Amino acid sequence: QVQMVESGGGLAQAGGSLRLSCAASGRIFNTYTRGWFRQAPGKEREVVAAVSRDGDSTYYADSVKGRFTISRDNAKNMLYLQMNSLKPEDTAVYYCAARYGGVRTTHKDYNYWGQGTQVTVSS
């Protein structure tokens, strides 16, 4: 059974940092594109960042460029999101996801999802 479990969410102050992790089991995602999405109340799920299977290609939403860094450790089947200079508008549930194929920025293109972790940034 495929499982993806996020961790590292919580409460942070504006300007602070958090590091999200996503552990995958039940399937080896070394050949999969992996990404982070987020969903705030009343809003659609949106892409935050994505990374190609070998890590050579990354995508960042404009809203997080220069503040967030996505990385992966294929040997451990792990995905990470380092979030710096957090803003209140970063508050959302963050999800990790995976797809077989190239980098895509639409949540409907991803086949595997974690259950999400809450990130709350106070001003």
Side-chain angles (χ1 to χ4, degrees), residues 38-56:
R38 66 187 181 187
Q39 188 166 18
K43 295 188 176 181
E44 287 194 7
R45 192 169 297 189
E46 62 177 6
V47 65
V48 175
V51 58
S52 61
R53 61 183 183 179
D54 54 8
D56 284 352

Side-chain angles (χ1 to χ4, degrees), residues 7-21:
S7 61
L11 178 64
Q13 289 189 334
S17 299
L18 286 173
R19 187 188 192 216
L20 303 184
S21 300

Side-chain angles (χ1 to χ4, degrees), residues 25-78:
S25 61
R27 181 180 291 269
I28 303 299
F29 287 102
N30 292 357
T31 58
Y32 286 63
T33 288
R34 301 186 72 177
W36 288 98
F37 289 75
R38 66 187 181 187
Q39 188 166 18
K43 295 188 176 181
E44 287 194 7
R45 192 169 297 189
E46 62 177 6
V47 65
V48 175
V51 58
S52 61
R53 61 183 183 179
D54 54 8
D56 284 352
S57 178
T58 57
Y59 169 88
Y60 293 95
D62 287 343
S63 59
V64 306
K65 279 181 182 176
R67 301 188 297 122
F68 290 10
T69 302
I70 189 171
S71 61
R72 63 190 296 167
D73 185 337
N74 285 342
K76 297 180 179 179
N77 224 10
M78 293 289 294

